[in-house]
Amino acid sequence: MKQLLAIMLVVLCICGLLAACGDGKKAEEDNDEFFTIETKYADLRYPSKWEDKVKTDILEDGVYTVRFSSNGKSIFDISFNKGDTLLGTLFTDDGNVGVYVRFYELDKKDKSYEDFAAMQDDVNIITENLAKDYDFSIGTPLLEDDGKTFAIETKIVTMYYPQRWKDSVTVKADDKAVAFSCDGTPLFTIYFGSEKGTLLGTYDGTELRLETFDFDKKKLNAAQIGIYEAMQEDVNVILQNLYEDKKFEVSLK
């Protein structure tokens, strides 16, 4: 199983490198699609279609903030190190910097309402470009993980999952399975003695199988997607602890 995971990681890395090596002309075209807002932490890239309609101001009253407004109305703020909703984290030589967004309430009766709403939606473009241009993790910072875990007791085995998710994850365990979800979105389930999922191995004679669920990314914002994907990835913490348990036998199928 360890070898299989290692091979999968190598394949993913190669795919990432191939995707990064695009045509230079295409890169230039991409640059034409955005305009840049320079900040002391990172350059923010936002769709060019809004360049003549949106105004950006740098505010440094306690929290370093970029305010996006249009026709004198505040649309949203991007702030650093402190704010309302976490978009992700910049990892820099000087330390980790949280990037946050604050959305302002819009008046649906305003004649520019649809434009303003689209401007708010395009915050996702900022996060996508941060991920392309910098060492940026969308969602909860991965480096917040201090290695601590909490125990999940089941009839078959005690599982260990990262402490950082304890207040976010919902865990439901019974005699047949232990299911992990967040805000009603299923993440993954580990089954006991079932035919569902991929066989991981056996624990004291009982087969353990893993099923990971897809979620509708169209209904989620960038921060939610980053968090859910990181939570799914951390099933590896459970697996690693199983590997170290003498009662667990890895499946080589």
Side-chain angles (χ1 to χ4, degrees):
M1 186 68 178
K2 288 182 178 178
Q3 290 178 342
L4 179 60
L5 288 174
I7 291 170
M8 290 175 67
L9 286 172
V10 170
V11 171
L12 288 172
C13 289
I14 291 173
C15 290
L17 288 172
L18 290 174
C21 298
D23 189 329
K25 183 178 179 181
K26 179 62 168 63
E28 290 178 5
E29 291 174 354
D30 286 346
N31 288 334
D32 291 340
E33 295 176 5
F34 312 105
F35 71 98
T36 300
I37 302 102
E38 295 182 359
T39 79
K40 69 178 183 180
Y41 295 103
D43 289 346
L44 307 180
R45 293 203 288 165
Y46 194 59
S48 294
K49 64 182 179 180
W50 303 125
E51 187 169 8
D52 295 331
K53 295 183 178 181
V54 75
K55 181 175 181 289
T56 58
D57 294 292
I58 303 292
L59 310 176
E60 298 189 65
D61 185 16
V63 179
Y64 190 91
T65 300
V66 183
R67 178 156 298 162
F68 290 70
S69 59
S70 183
N71 296 334
K73 297 182 179 180
S74 297
I75 308 299
F76 64 90
D77 292 345
I78 299 292
S79 59
F80 298 86
N81 286 319
K82 187 177 181 181
D84 283 7
T85 302
L86 179 68
L87 292 175
T89 297
L90 282 166
F91 303 122
T92 74
D93 292 339
D94 297 324
N96 302 338
V97 179
V99 182
Y100 296 82
V101 65
R102 173 191 178 188
F103 293 112
Y104 289 91
E105 188 173 350
L106 303 177
D107 182 357
K108 292 184 178 181
K109 295 180 181 179
D110 193 303
K111 64 180 181 180
S112 299
Y113 170 77
E114 290 187 2
D115 275 354
F116 294 165
M119 289 176 184
Q120 289 187 340
D121 286 342
D122 280 345
V123 165
N124 288 327
I125 302 298
I126 292 177
T127 56
E128 288 171 8
N129 280 301
L130 283 172
K132 290 178 183 177
D133 299 339
Y134 298 93
D135 187 0
F136 179 79
S137 170
I138 296 175
T140 298
L142 300 182
L143 293 188
E144 279 190 352
D145 187 4
D146 56 8
K148 294 182 179 179
T149 59
F150 68 98
I152 300 163
E153 302 289 344
T154 76
K155 182 179 179 180
I156 304 299
V157 59
T158 300
M159 298 181 181
Y160 296 91
Y161 193 58
Q163 180 73 27
R164 62 176 173 155
W165 302 127
K166 188 171 184 180
D167 294 331
S168 303
V169 72
T170 299
V171 182
K172 293 185 177 180
D174 57 30
D175 292 349
K176 296 180 179 179
V178 54
F180 294 73
S181 63
C182 182
D183 296 330
T185 299
L187 301 171
F188 59 91
T189 296
I190 296 177
Y191 298 100
F192 309 134
S194 172
E195 294 183 356
K196 294 182 180 180
T198 301
L199 180 62
L200 299 173
T202 59
Y203 188 88
D204 206 17
T206 299
E207 285 190 349
L208 302 186
R209 291 177 175 268
L210 171 67
E211 182 177 15
T212 301
F213 301 101
D214 294 328
F215 40 84
D216 189 350
K217 295 183 178 180
K218 293 180 180 179
K219 295 182 179 179
L220 304 172
N221 60 43
Q224 288 173 313
I225 292 171
I227 290 171
Y228 294 168
E229 289 179 343
M231 294 175 86
Q232 286 183 330
E233 266 185 44
D234 277 347
V235 71
N236 287 315
V237 175
I238 294 174
L239 298 181
Q240 187 59 44
N241 280 281
L242 285 173
Y243 296 147
E244 296 171 2
D245 192 317
K246 293 180 180 180
K247 291 184 179 181
F248 182 74
E249 294 184 10
V250 178
S251 170
L252 299 179
K253 293 181 181 181

